[in-house]
Structures are given as C-alpha cells and as structure tokens.
Amino acid sequence: MITKKEFTEIKHSATRQGKEIFLSTGKFAPHSEWAVTISFWDTSLLVTAVMEKDPDSSRDYMPLAIDFRESWYAAGKIGGGRFNKREWRPSEEAVLYCRLTDRPLRPMFPKGMINDTVITISPLSLDGEISPGELSIIASSASLLMAGIPFEWPVGACRIWYVDGEYKMHMTDSQAKNALLDLHLAGKKWSINMIEAGANECDPEILKEAMKLGQQAIDEICDIQTEFLNKLTITQQEPSKNIHTPEMFAQAKDILGDKISRLQEVGEDKKEFDKVYAELAAQLWSALADEVADTDSQWTNSKVSGCFFALVKDFLRGNFLKTGVRVDGRSAEQIRQIYCETNVVPRSHGTGFFWRWDTQVLSFLTLWGPSDAQLLDNMEYHGAEKRFIHHYKMPPFGNNEARMIRGTSRREIGHGRLAEKALLPMIPNKDEFPYTIRLVSEVLGSGGSTSMASVCGSTLAMLSGWVPMKSPVSGIAMGMMSDDDQQVILTDIKGTEDFIGDMDFKLTGTSNGVTAIQMDTKLKGIKLDKLLEMVDRSNSGRQEILDYMLQTIDKPATEMSPYAPSIAVHKIKPEQVRTVIGPGWSMITKIIEASGGSDLVNIDFEDDGSVFITAKDQAAGTKAREMIQETLRVPTKGDKMTGKVTRTEAYGIFVEIKWGNVWLVHVKNLGQWFIEDASTLYKVGDTMDVEVMGMDKGKLQLKKAG
C-alpha cells in the first residue's frame, strides 16, 4: 500500500515596507544543500546554491556562476519559434538578471577561495508586473548562507522609484513607467556594494535621498534573512583556498626590489605599461622557477601569479595614497585628454568618434522606419517594441588580444544596455521623430570606461545624424583606492585603476540631471556618506566632459545624411487603411513595387490611420504617397483614366485602374451598337481608356471613353 510522503517545510514571512515577502525551504530540490523559494506578490523563484567540494587546486580564482533559467511556463506562455517550443539560449533580459545578481554577491566570498559555486535561479511564477531581479539577489544570498557556503553577510536588495514627487518601494512595472528615477540597490547592513539606476534627468539630491532610504530597506531585508536562517540547522562547509602567504609576498618583494617602481615611471602609455608588467612578471618567474619545480616547496604557478599581482597592486595603490599621484601622473580629480569628431566615415547616417586618451569608441547611427523596431519575445515581454536600440561591441584587438570573435559576450550585453539606459530618456518621441534608431558602439581601444565612452560617442553620432535629442548626454567612470586610514575617490579611472582599485562607479546625464548609474565594488560594502560624495564628484566631472563634447557639436545637424531614409507621415481615416493595404496585402505590395521596391520604400500603418512612408530616395517616397492618395481618391462623374484589361467575358471587360482596383465595363458601355461577345474586342493585357459614369450601390460604373 502506498503511504503519503512526509516532509518538513520551513516557512518564514515578514512585512517589508508594508508588503509581505515569503521564504520557504524543505519542499523542493532535495539533493541541493538547501533550496529556497522566495515569493513576493505573484512572482515566485526557486533558488539553489551548490559548491564543488573538490576543485582544481591549481586555480587562482573563484568560478562563481549565476544561472538565471528563463522559464516561459512561469509566465503562462509557450515560447520559441514555430518549430521549436522550448527554452533555448538566455535572452538579453536573463543575462542582465545574472549580472545584476552576480555583482553584489561576488565580493562577499573569502579571499583565496577557489571552489566552483553555482547559483541557479528558476522562476516558478511571474506576474508580469514585479521584476524578478531584486528577488534573485535576496534569495541567492539566503541560499548561499543556508548551504553553509562561505559567505560573509546576508546581502539585501531593494528597488526605489521616484514618481510624482514621492519615493515608492512597491510599484508594478506598469505603474512605474513615468518614474523620474528607477533605482536598484544591494549590499549588507550599513553599506552598499551595488547600484543600478535609470533616470530621466533626475536631480542628484533626489538620487541621494533615495540611496538613504534604500540603505534602510537593505538593512531590513538582511534582518529578515537572518530571522529565516535562525530557523534552520546549517552545516558550514570548508572552502578550498589557493593564496600566497605573507612570507611568500615578502620574498617576492625582495626579489623585485625597486624594479617595481618602473610601473609608475612609464606614465600614460598603456602599451609600455603592459610591456614593463610582462618583463617584471618574467623576472619573478625566473627567480622562483626552481622553487616552483620543487614539489616540497609552497610555491606553485598560481601562487607566483597571485603574488605578483598583489605586489603590483600594493605598490601602485600605496604610491598613490602616499603621494596623490596616479599611475599616469594625474591628480585624483584630473580628467584625461579627449578628442571628439563627427561624420567620420562616408555613407553612415551619423557617426561619433570619442577618444579619451587610449580609449577609443566609434559609434554608428542607423535610421529606418517604424517596422524595423525590435520585437521583444521572452518570458516577460511578448510583442513589445523597442524603437531605440544600442549595441556595444568589444573586439579582441581593442585589448591587443589575439583571438577570434565568438558571439556576443555577457559583458557586451551589459555595457550595451547601460549605454542604452543612459540615452533612452533623451530620445524624441515617435510623434516628433518616427524613426527606429539603432546605435552601434565599436570599441577600437580599451583603456578604461568604454561604456561611458560609448554614451559620449553615441551622443555625438545622434547629433551629427539630425536626431533631435532632448539634451546631449555624457558619462564618466569614477573609482576609489583605500587602506585602513583613508578612502580616496578617483575621477575618470583608466583600466589599470579599475584593475587594482576598489570600485567602478559610472554616472551619465545631461546638464539638467542624471540619466543612469552603475556601481560595482570589490569591497564588501561602501558607507553611504562616501557614495553620496561620489555622486557629487562624478556629476561634476561628467559635466566637464559634456562641456568639452559640445565644442564639437552642440545641437542636431541642420539636415540628415543624404544616405539616411526620409519618413513622411500622412493621416488617413482608420477605415481607409484596409483599402490601401488591399486583399492579402495585394494593393500595398503593388504600391511598394511600383515605387522602386522594398529596398527603397517601406510603408507602415497604425490603427489611428497614421501612414509612415520610409524612403531612401525622395522620388520613390513621393511616388508612394501619390499612389496612396490616388488609391483613396473617389472618382467623380466624367473622370477619365487608362486601365489595363485583366479579364474578358462575353458580358463585359474587367479593367484594372487605381493600383489594383478592378471594375467591369459592361458590354453595353463599350461603344458598340451591338455585340454578342465582348471578349472578342480585347485580350488580357490590353489598355483601355475609360470614363466614370457614376456610382451604383458602391460600385463604380465605367464606360469606354469616346
């Protein structure tokens, strides 16, 4: 006899900012250490964390993987194409959720840990209104701590909007469409280690107040996690570590001695810096080769590499904190040299070249009609249109890497979306500028802050391409270096400073306010007062960059590129749209073909009767417009026109006039005294001059013109 399976489910609920959040475990995924289900409104996620017990001991890094599994069923959808109805590659949205979750968790693991750790996020239910991003961070933190995986503190997350003069912490996506600020924050109690924000020229003071409220919300969710964890019996796991000892560091330092100072002496030249870096590394390897080969020695290949990096980091950071002089000789607040140019290449619809020392980005603008808008089709969006798209590309040669390009990386997706978020509020609405806008930022040289250079280059490209931006946008990346006694903010960090520094804080905006922020840190958290200072410093530096950009171009060009298409917008009655399209799209197909074909002309309609004629050639656009007007013109008695015979019958001749409309010329109206079979007079393909006699019950009455 079958008996009922017994299990123990541990549940916890708490009120968070007036709304209940639910955590539970013990019911799903029994072979993971622990699995947590988190629910908020009707959105529910299952999150597991698993750590490899026997990792590769030669590794000198920790492989942390966030796997956000797109689940169409969670939204009640059957996704995929016509012939494939299963989830496949993750959408861009899923990739962005992975990145959003990874950033606040990564700094919280112990230094030197090398165990593969995989967090799997499986949406069980999506209500279409609550984004799963915030819940993914909270549940991932809880799952790591439940599994006993070494993880220092609970990590909380919150999302704050500023709408109609009020700060809101619980809104649906549809309610938040007109928000001035949409801010994601994550961190541990009393500090923040991740920021992601989109805004519409938000006052920095509003942003700073939202960050204060966000820290309170983070503290609250950390306490909720702790309450839940206290209900569990957790077995702590021991991590594997591969890290050099203080004695090994001292030995390496003695080997290189004052030679390490050469890194400071090379100044701004990235190639020379990389060359000296490689030479010093080779010297350390050579000096320790015998010890690495000795199996009784503590030295391994990975420890030599780790020790050398720590040595470089210690020297460069220490030198800056002591002297205030950065690797390239700048002061903490100094911005690197900048060069801006527009209309760089022929035949583009607009180009912007932004060159900040050794970072180069060439942004391309492409314009086309409304039908080229991107249709979103994933578990959260179906049929939604994006008429503004920004793509970021980072070819290997931009970093002097000898490898092939293998698809779009997650980093490229993330950087592209950040720039898109920064520019989107300044894109003109469809009524003012009906084009679909695509920007592609090609990183030709990477010396730090390429995403912010993409924002600047894209602004230049749009201005040069006649796009009536509401305001130009610029961006800057800030950093920080610290020790036990001080934390110093760096303006406009370069790649090396990002590599050895504590933080990467990116801020974009116009002269009127902030449009986007993204912050990552290697620290476990940054105090709120330092972040508020960071907002002010970055906004000041970003404005300085914008002022310089506007010396090259400060408003949209007076005319479009001759290679860009024109769009003419016409209004017809909504009930006339069907007439223009014709049965089975026959009429509109003929109009496009007669105007030069789909390579030259595209015609889009909206339900309100708006007609968008997109044309690469002015004559083709004019031709299409005239044909549409002629199709809708109601003939009056006495009008004469020429038609083509499409069919012949004994009782009359069928003639095509007005781009696809076919009407009968009855045998009695062919101008003959008497004829038994009208088909003997004409054959298909002949032309006939006809005259309008009038309308009878909606049918055009024609006769052969005399």
Side-chain angles (χ1 to χ4, degrees), residues 70-99:
E70 205 154 24
S71 307
W72 290 80
Y73 57 77
K77 298 178 181 179
I78 299 177
R82 182 68 178 86
F83 299 102
N84 181 18
K85 292 297 183 183
R86 67 178 301 158
E87 293 81 1
W88 196 238
R89 293 177 180 173
S91 66
E92 287 195 0
E93 296 301 324
V95 169
L96 293 170
Y97 286 139
C98 292
R99 288 173 57 85

PDB file of all heavy atoms in Angstrom, residues 70-99:
ATOM      1  N   GLU A  70      15.575  30.952 -17.841  1.00  0.00           N
ATOM      2  CA  GLU A  70      14.347  31.524 -18.386  1.00  0.00           C
ATOM      3  C   GLU A  70      13.276  30.440 -18.464  1.00  0.00           C
ATOM      4  O   GLU A  70      13.500  29.362 -18.999  1.00  0.00           O
ATOM      5  CB  GLU A  70      14.613  32.099 -19.776  1.00  0.00           C
ATOM      6  CG  GLU A  70      13.654  33.187 -20.155  1.00  0.00           C
ATOM      7  CD  GLU A  70      14.254  34.127 -21.169  1.00  0.00           C
ATOM      8  OE1 GLU A  70      15.168  33.717 -21.890  1.00  0.00           O
ATOM      9  OE2 GLU A  70      13.807  35.284 -21.229  1.00  0.00           O
ATOM     10  N   SER A  71      12.106  30.727 -17.918  1.00  0.00           N
ATOM     11  CA  SER A  71      11.028  29.740 -17.849  1.00  0.00           C
ATOM     12  C   SER A  71       9.749  30.361 -18.404  1.00  0.00           C
ATOM     13  O   SER A  71       9.073  31.132 -17.713  1.00  0.00           O
ATOM     14  CB  SER A  71      10.800  29.296 -16.398  1.00  0.00           C
ATOM     15  OG  SER A  71      12.000  28.855 -15.804  1.00  0.00           O
ATOM     16  N   TRP A  72       9.423  30.015 -19.637  1.00  0.00           N
ATOM     17  CA  TRP A  72       8.227  30.583 -20.263  1.00  0.00           C
ATOM     18  C   TRP A  72       6.972  30.187 -19.494  1.00  0.00           C
ATOM     19  O   TRP A  72       6.019  30.968 -19.391  1.00  0.00           O
ATOM     20  CB  TRP A  72       8.132  30.104 -21.711  1.00  0.00           C
ATOM     21  CG  TRP A  72       9.166  30.691 -22.617  1.00  0.00           C
ATOM     22  CD1 TRP A  72      10.467  30.313 -22.752  1.00  0.00           C
ATOM     23  CD2 TRP A  72       8.989  31.789 -23.525  1.00  0.00           C
ATOM     24  NE1 TRP A  72      11.107  31.082 -23.677  1.00  0.00           N
ATOM     25  CE2 TRP A  72      10.226  31.995 -24.177  1.00  0.00           C
ATOM     26  CE3 TRP A  72       7.903  32.594 -23.859  1.00  0.00           C
ATOM     27  CZ2 TRP A  72      10.406  32.977 -25.144  1.00  0.00           C
ATOM     28  CZ3 TRP A  72       8.085  33.575 -24.825  1.00  0.00           C
ATOM     29  CH2 TRP A  72       9.322  33.772 -25.443  1.00  0.00           C
ATOM     30  N   TYR A  73       6.980  28.958 -18.963  1.00  0.00           N
ATOM     31  CA  TYR A  73       5.780  28.492 -18.264  1.00  0.00           C
ATOM     32  C   TYR A  73       5.461  29.338 -17.052  1.00  0.00           C
ATOM     33  O   TYR A  73       4.313  29.441 -16.615  1.00  0.00           O
ATOM     34  CB  TYR A  73       5.935  27.022 -17.849  1.00  0.00           C
ATOM     35  CG  TYR A  73       7.136  26.742 -16.983  1.00  0.00           C
ATOM     36  CD1 TYR A  73       7.155  27.065 -15.632  1.00  0.00           C
ATOM     37  CD2 TYR A  73       8.271  26.144 -17.521  1.00  0.00           C
ATOM     38  CE1 TYR A  73       8.257  26.821 -14.841  1.00  0.00           C
ATOM     39  CE2 TYR A  73       9.383  25.879 -16.731  1.00  0.00           C
ATOM     40  CZ  TYR A  73       9.361  26.220 -15.389  1.00  0.00           C
ATOM     41  OH  TYR A  73      10.456  25.971 -14.612  1.00  0.00           O
ATOM     42  N   ALA A  74       6.495  29.954 -16.456  1.00  0.00           N
ATOM     43  CA  ALA A  74       6.273  30.777 -15.272  1.00  0.00           C
ATOM     44  C   ALA A  74       5.364  31.964 -15.571  1.00  0.00           C
ATOM     45  O   ALA A  74       4.682  32.482 -14.684  1.00  0.00           O
ATOM     46  CB  ALA A  74       7.614  31.273 -14.723  1.00  0.00           C
ATOM     47  N   ALA A  75       5.373  32.388 -16.826  1.00  0.00           N
ATOM     48  CA  ALA A  75       4.509  33.498 -17.244  1.00  0.00           C
ATOM     49  C   ALA A  75       3.277  33.009 -17.994  1.00  0.00           C
ATOM     50  O   ALA A  75       2.534  33.819 -18.561  1.00  0.00           O
ATOM     51  CB  ALA A  75       5.300  34.460 -18.126  1.00  0.00           C
ATOM     52  N   GLY A  76       3.078  31.677 -18.028  1.00  0.00           N
ATOM     53  CA  GLY A  76       1.919  31.129 -18.722  1.00  0.00           C
ATOM     54  C   GLY A  76       2.008  31.265 -20.229  1.00  0.00           C
ATOM     55  O   GLY A  76       1.000  31.487 -20.905  1.00  0.00           O
ATOM     56  N   LYS A  77       3.233  31.120 -20.769  1.00  0.00           N
ATOM     57  CA  LYS A  77       3.440  31.292 -22.203  1.00  0.00           C
ATOM     58  C   LYS A  77       4.068  30.039 -22.806  1.00  0.00           C
ATOM     59  O   LYS A  77       4.749  29.275 -22.114  1.00  0.00           O
ATOM     60  CB  LYS A  77       4.364  32.480 -22.486  1.00  0.00           C
ATOM     61  CG  LYS A  77       3.836  33.821 -22.016  1.00  0.00           C
ATOM     62  CD  LYS A  77       4.854  34.913 -22.310  1.00  0.00           C
ATOM     63  CE  LYS A  77       4.374  36.275 -21.826  1.00  0.00           C
ATOM     64  NZ  LYS A  77       5.381  37.333 -22.083  1.00  0.00           N
ATOM     65  N   ILE A  78       3.814  29.843 -24.092  1.00  0.00           N
ATOM     66  CA  ILE A  78       4.532  28.844 -24.879  1.00  0.00           C
ATOM     67  C   ILE A  78       5.443  29.623 -25.805  1.00  0.00           C
ATOM     68  O   ILE A  78       4.996  30.232 -26.771  1.00  0.00           O
ATOM     69  CB  ILE A  78       3.576  27.942 -25.688  1.00  0.00           C
ATOM     70  CG1 ILE A  78       2.646  27.187 -24.742  1.00  0.00           C
ATOM     71  CG2 ILE A  78       4.370  26.973 -26.542  1.00  0.00           C
ATOM     72  CD1 ILE A  78       1.621  26.330 -25.443  1.00  0.00           C
ATOM     73  N   GLY A  79       6.707  29.630 -25.492  1.00  0.00           N
ATOM     74  CA  GLY A  79       7.631  30.472 -26.238  1.00  0.00           C
ATOM     75  C   GLY A  79       8.283  29.744 -27.394  1.00  0.00           C
ATOM     76  O   GLY A  79       7.875  28.655 -27.796  1.00  0.00           O
ATOM     77  N   GLY A  80       9.323  30.361 -27.923  1.00  0.00           N
ATOM     78  CA  GLY A  80      10.076  29.760 -29.012  1.00  0.00           C
ATOM     79  C   GLY A  80       9.481  30.066 -30.367  1.00  0.00           C
ATOM     80  O   GLY A  80       8.481  30.768 -30.501  1.00  0.00           O
ATOM     81  N   GLY A  81      10.103  29.509 -31.413  1.00  0.00           N
ATOM     82  CA  GLY A  81       9.644  29.727 -32.773  1.00  0.00           C
ATOM     83  C   GLY A  81       8.568  28.732 -33.170  1.00  0.00           C
ATOM     84  O   GLY A  81       8.050  27.962 -32.366  1.00  0.00           O
ATOM     85  N   ARG A  82       8.261  28.743 -34.445  1.00  0.00           N
ATOM     86  CA  ARG A  82       7.186  27.890 -34.962  1.00  0.00           C
ATOM     87  C   ARG A  82       7.508  26.408 -34.781  1.00  0.00           C
ATOM     88  O   ARG A  82       6.619  25.595 -34.545  1.00  0.00           O
ATOM     89  CB  ARG A  82       6.970  28.212 -36.452  1.00  0.00           C
ATOM     90  CG  ARG A  82       5.838  27.423 -37.103  1.00  0.00           C
ATOM     91  CD  ARG A  82       4.491  27.844 -36.539  1.00  0.00           C
ATOM     92  NE  ARG A  82       3.408  27.143 -37.189  1.00  0.00           N
ATOM     93  CZ  ARG A  82       2.947  25.946 -36.822  1.00  0.00           C
ATOM     94  NH1 ARG A  82       3.512  25.318 -35.808  1.00  0.00           N
ATOM     95  NH2 ARG A  82       1.940  25.379 -37.445  1.00  0.00           N
ATOM     96  N   PHE A  83       8.778  26.047 -34.906  1.00  0.00           N
ATOM     97  CA  PHE A  83       9.146  24.637 -34.872  1.00  0.00           C
ATOM     98  C   PHE A  83       9.923  24.241 -33.612  1.00  0.00           C
ATOM     99  O   PHE A  83      10.323  23.101 -33.465  1.00  0.00           O
ATOM    100  CB  PHE A  83       9.976  24.277 -36.112  1.00  0.00           C
ATOM    101  CG  PHE A  83       9.226  24.506 -37.397  1.00  0.00           C
ATOM    102  CD1 PHE A  83       9.478  25.630 -38.166  1.00  0.00           C
ATOM    103  CD2 PHE A  83       8.265  23.611 -37.823  1.00  0.00           C
ATOM    104  CE1 PHE A  83       8.778  25.846 -39.339  1.00  0.00           C
ATOM    105  CE2 PHE A  83       7.561  23.818 -38.995  1.00  0.00           C
ATOM    106  CZ  PHE A  83       7.819  24.942 -39.759  1.00  0.00           C
ATOM    107  N   ASN A  84      10.190  25.193 -32.741  1.00  0.00           N
ATOM    108  CA  ASN A  84      10.924  24.882 -31.511  1.00  0.00           C
ATOM    109  C   ASN A  84      10.216  25.546 -30.347  1.00  0.00           C
ATOM    110  O   ASN A  84      10.204  26.770 -30.239  1.00  0.00           O
ATOM    111  CB  ASN A  84      12.368  25.378 -31.612  1.00  0.00           C
ATOM    112  CG  ASN A  84      13.178  25.041 -30.363  1.00  0.00           C
ATOM    113  OD1 ASN A  84      12.783  24.180 -29.588  1.00  0.00           O
ATOM    114  ND2 ASN A  84      14.296  25.711 -30.169  1.00  0.00           N
ATOM    115  N   LYS A  85       9.641  24.758 -29.503  1.00  0.00           N
ATOM    116  CA  LYS A  85       8.811  25.295 -28.432  1.00  0.00           C
ATOM    117  C   LYS A  85       9.431  25.087 -27.049  1.00  0.00           C
ATOM    118  O   LYS A  85       8.731  24.874 -26.076  1.00  0.00           O
ATOM    119  CB  LYS A  85       7.420  24.637 -28.477  1.00  0.00           C
ATOM    120  CG  LYS A  85       6.598  25.017 -29.694  1.00  0.00           C
ATOM    121  CD  LYS A  85       6.296  26.507 -29.721  1.00  0.00           C
ATOM    122  CE  LYS A  85       5.403  26.867 -30.894  1.00  0.00           C
ATOM    123  NZ  LYS A  85       5.165  28.328 -30.947  1.00  0.00           N
ATOM    124  N   ARG A  86      10.747  25.135 -26.970  1.00  0.00           N
ATOM    125  CA  ARG A  86      11.386  25.017 -25.671  1.00  0.00           C
ATOM    126  C   ARG A  86      12.358  26.174 -25.456  1.00  0.00           C
ATOM    127  O   ARG A  86      12.791  26.828 -26.416  1.00  0.00           O
ATOM    128  CB  ARG A  86      12.122  23.689 -25.548  1.00  0.00           C
ATOM    129  CG  ARG A  86      13.337  23.535 -26.462  1.00  0.00           C
ATOM    130  CD  ARG A  86      14.013  22.194 -26.217  1.00  0.00           C
ATOM    131  NE  ARG A  86      14.447  22.084 -24.835  1.00  0.00           N
ATOM    132  CZ  ARG A  86      14.670  20.925 -24.219  1.00  0.00           C
ATOM    133  NH1 ARG A  86      14.455  19.782 -24.845  1.00  0.00           N
ATOM    134  NH2 ARG A  86      15.097  20.891 -22.968  1.00  0.00           N
ATOM    135  N   GLU A  87      12.661  26.410 -24.177  1.00  0.00           N
ATOM    136  CA  GLU A  87      13.622  27.466 -23.863  1.00  0.00           C
ATOM    137  C   GLU A  87      14.979  27.095 -24.457  1.00  0.00           C
ATOM    138  O   GLU A  87      15.380  25.942 -24.446  1.00  0.00           O
ATOM    139  CB  GLU A  87      13.741  27.643 -22.352  1.00  0.00           C
ATOM    140  CG  GLU A  87      12.499  28.177 -21.668  1.00  0.00           C
ATOM    141  CD  GLU A  87      11.443  27.133 -21.385  1.00  0.00           C
ATOM    142  OE1 GLU A  87      11.682  25.938 -21.710  1.00  0.00           O
ATOM    143  OE2 GLU A  87      10.386  27.481 -20.856  1.00  0.00           O
ATOM    144  N   TRP A  88      15.681  28.092 -24.957  1.00  0.00           N
ATOM    145  CA  TRP A  88      16.956  27.842 -25.604  1.00  0.00           C
ATOM    146  C   TRP A  88      17.987  28.771 -24.985  1.00  0.00           C
ATOM    147  O   TRP A  88      18.142  28.836 -23.773  1.00  0.00           O
ATOM    148  CB  TRP A  88      16.795  28.022 -27.117  1.00  0.00           C
ATOM    149  CG  TRP A  88      17.917  27.435 -27.923  1.00  0.00           C
ATOM    150  CD1 TRP A  88      18.721  28.099 -28.807  1.00  0.00           C
ATOM    151  CD2 TRP A  88      18.369  26.072 -27.937  1.00  0.00           C
ATOM    152  NE1 TRP A  88      19.627  27.243 -29.369  1.00  0.00           N
ATOM    153  CE2 TRP A  88      19.451  25.989 -28.849  1.00  0.00           C
ATOM    154  CE3 TRP A  88      17.982  24.924 -27.264  1.00  0.00           C
ATOM    155  CZ2 TRP A  88      20.137  24.807 -29.108  1.00  0.00           C
ATOM    156  CZ3 TRP A  88      18.659  23.745 -27.514  1.00  0.00           C
ATOM    157  CH2 TRP A  88      19.721  23.684 -28.432  1.00  0.00           C
ATOM    158  N   ARG A  89      18.659  29.530 -25.790  1.00  0.00           N
ATOM    159  CA  ARG A  89      19.667  30.445 -25.249  1.00  0.00           C
ATOM    160  C   ARG A  89      18.988  31.532 -24.404  1.00  0.00           C
ATOM    161  O   ARG A  89      17.890  31.966 -24.704  1.00  0.00           O
ATOM    162  CB  ARG A  89      20.442  31.100 -26.391  1.00  0.00           C
ATOM    163  CG  ARG A  89      21.294  30.115 -27.179  1.00  0.00           C
ATOM    164  CD  ARG A  89      21.975  30.797 -28.339  1.00  0.00           C
ATOM    165  NE  ARG A  89      22.798  29.867 -29.095  1.00  0.00           N
ATOM    166  CZ  ARG A  89      23.401  30.172 -30.239  1.00  0.00           C
ATOM    167  NH1 ARG A  89      23.263  31.377 -30.752  1.00  0.00           N
ATOM    168  NH2 ARG A  89      24.141  29.275 -30.864  1.00  0.00           N
ATOM    169  N   PRO A  90      19.662  31.979 -23.338  1.00  0.00           N
ATOM    170  CA  PRO A  90      19.040  33.014 -22.499  1.00  0.00           C
ATOM    171  C   PRO A  90      18.868  34.312 -23.269  1.00  0.00           C
ATOM    172  O   PRO A  90      19.714  34.697 -24.082  1.00  0.00           O
ATOM    173  CB  PRO A  90      20.036  33.171 -21.346  1.00  0.00           C
ATOM    174  CG  PRO A  90      21.337  32.662 -21.876  1.00  0.00           C
ATOM    175  CD  PRO A  90      20.990  31.581 -22.839  1.00  0.00           C
ATOM    176  N   SER A  91      17.774  34.980 -23.031  1.00  0.00           N
ATOM    177  CA  SER A  91      17.538  36.284 -23.642  1.00  0.00           C
ATOM    178  C   SER A  91      18.454  37.319 -23.000  1.00  0.00           C
ATOM    179  O   SER A  91      19.103  37.061 -21.985  1.00  0.00           O
ATOM    180  CB  SER A  91      16.081  36.701 -23.442  1.00  0.00           C
ATOM    181  OG  SER A  91      15.826  36.927 -22.055  1.00  0.00           O
ATOM    182  N   GLU A  92      18.496  38.503 -23.583  1.00  0.00           N
ATOM    183  CA  GLU A  92      19.299  39.574 -23.002  1.00  0.00           C
ATOM    184  C   GLU A  92      18.803  39.904 -21.593  1.00  0.00           C
ATOM    185  O   GLU A  92      19.597  40.216 -20.699  1.00  0.00           O
ATOM    186  CB  GLU A  92      19.269  40.813 -23.892  1.00  0.00           C
ATOM    187  CG  GLU A  92      20.083  40.674 -25.168  1.00  0.00           C
ATOM    188  CD  GLU A  92      20.336  41.997 -25.853  1.00  0.00           C
ATOM    189  OE1 GLU A  92      19.871  43.043 -25.333  1.00  0.00           O
ATOM    190  OE2 GLU A  92      20.991  42.007 -26.912  1.00  0.00           O
ATOM    191  N   GLU A  93      17.492  39.855 -21.387  1.00  0.00           N
ATOM    192  CA  GLU A  93      16.960  40.153 -20.054  1.00  0.00           C
ATOM    193  C   GLU A  93      17.475  39.147 -19.035  1.00  0.00           C
ATOM    194  O   GLU A  93      17.836  39.510 -17.911  1.00  0.00           O
ATOM    195  CB  GLU A  93      15.426  40.137 -20.093  1.00  0.00           C
ATOM    196  CG  GLU A  93      14.807  41.202 -20.976  1.00  0.00           C
ATOM    197  CD  GLU A  93      15.193  42.612 -20.561  1.00  0.00           C
ATOM    198  OE1 GLU A  93      15.319  42.858 -19.339  1.00  0.00           O
ATOM    199  OE2 GLU A  93      15.368  43.460 -21.444  1.00  0.00           O
ATOM    200  N   ALA A  94      17.514  37.865 -19.405  1.00  0.00           N
ATOM    201  CA  ALA A  94      18.012  36.847 -18.481  1.00  0.00           C
ATOM    202  C   ALA A  94      19.488  37.069 -18.170  1.00  0.00           C
ATOM    203  O   ALA A  94      19.930  36.918 -17.020  1.00  0.00           O
ATOM    204  CB  ALA A  94      17.794  35.457 -19.069  1.00  0.00           C
ATOM    205  N   VAL A  95      20.268  37.423 -19.179  1.00  0.00           N
ATOM    206  CA  VAL A  95      21.686  37.706 -18.970  1.00  0.00           C
ATOM    207  C   VAL A  95      21.859  38.885 -18.010  1.00  0.00           C
ATOM    208  O   VAL A  95      22.717  38.869 -17.110  1.00  0.00           O
ATOM    209  CB  VAL A  95      22.380  38.006 -20.313  1.00  0.00           C
ATOM    210  CG1 VAL A  95      23.787  38.568 -20.089  1.00  0.00           C
ATOM    211  CG2 VAL A  95      22.446  36.746 -21.170  1.00  0.00           C
ATOM    212  N   LEU A  96      21.028  39.905 -18.164  1.00  0.00           N
ATOM    213  CA  LEU A  96      21.129  41.074 -17.293  1.00  0.00           C
ATOM    214  C   LEU A  96      20.749  40.733 -15.857  1.00  0.00           C
ATOM    215  O   LEU A  96      21.328  41.279 -14.905  1.00  0.00           O
ATOM    216  CB  LEU A  96      20.244  42.199 -17.836  1.00  0.00           C
ATOM    217  CG  LEU A  96      20.706  42.779 -19.177  1.00  0.00           C
ATOM    218  CD1 LEU A  96      19.655  43.714 -19.748  1.00  0.00           C
ATOM    219  CD2 LEU A  96      22.032  43.512 -19.035  1.00  0.00           C
ATOM    220  N   TYR A  97      19.799  39.822 -15.656  1.00  0.00           N
ATOM    221  CA  TYR A  97      19.473  39.377 -14.298  1.00  0.00           C
ATOM    222  C   TYR A  97      20.662  38.635 -13.677  1.00  0.00           C
ATOM    223  O   TYR A  97      20.932  38.768 -12.480  1.00  0.00           O
ATOM    224  CB  TYR A  97      18.247  38.477 -14.310  1.00  0.00           C
ATOM    225  CG  TYR A  97      16.936  39.209 -14.527  1.00  0.00           C
ATOM    226  CD1 TYR A  97      15.949  38.683 -15.357  1.00  0.00           C
ATOM    227  CD2 TYR A  97      16.688  40.423 -13.895  1.00  0.00           C
ATOM    228  CE1 TYR A  97      14.750  39.360 -15.565  1.00  0.00           C
ATOM    229  CE2 TYR A  97      15.501  41.098 -14.094  1.00  0.00           C
ATOM    230  CZ  TYR A  97      14.529  40.563 -14.935  1.00  0.00           C
ATOM    231  OH  TYR A  97      13.353  41.234 -15.135  1.00  0.00           O
ATOM    232  N   CYS A  98      21.357  37.834 -14.486  1.00  0.00           N
ATOM    233  CA  CYS A  98      22.553  37.141 -13.988  1.00  0.00           C
ATOM    234  C   CYS A  98      23.597  38.150 -13.515  1.00  0.00           C
ATOM    235  O   CYS A  98      24.178  38.004 -12.425  1.00  0.00           O
ATOM    236  CB  CYS A  98      23.144  36.254 -15.077  1.00  0.00           C
ATOM    237  SG  CYS A  98      22.143  34.827 -15.535  1.00  0.00           S
ATOM    238  N   ARG A  99      23.842  39.155 -14.336  1.00  0.00           N
ATOM    239  CA  ARG A  99      24.847  40.164 -13.981  1.00  0.00           C
ATOM    240  C   ARG A  99      24.420  40.959 -12.750  1.00  0.00           C
ATOM    241  O   ARG A  99      25.224  41.274 -11.872  1.00  0.00           O
ATOM    242  CB  ARG A  99      25.080  41.098 -15.170  1.00  0.00           C
ATOM    243  CG  ARG A  99      25.841  40.444 -16.315  1.00  0.00           C
ATOM    244  CD  ARG A  99      25.905  41.365 -17.535  1.00  0.00           C
ATOM    245  NE  ARG A  99      26.513  42.650 -17.253  1.00  0.00           N
ATOM    246  CZ  ARG A  99      27.817  42.915 -17.272  1.00  0.00           C
ATOM    247  NH1 ARG A  99      28.673  41.942 -17.552  1.00  0.00           N
ATOM    248  NH2 ARG A  99      28.283  44.125 -17.027  1.00  0.00           N
TER     249      ARG A  99
END
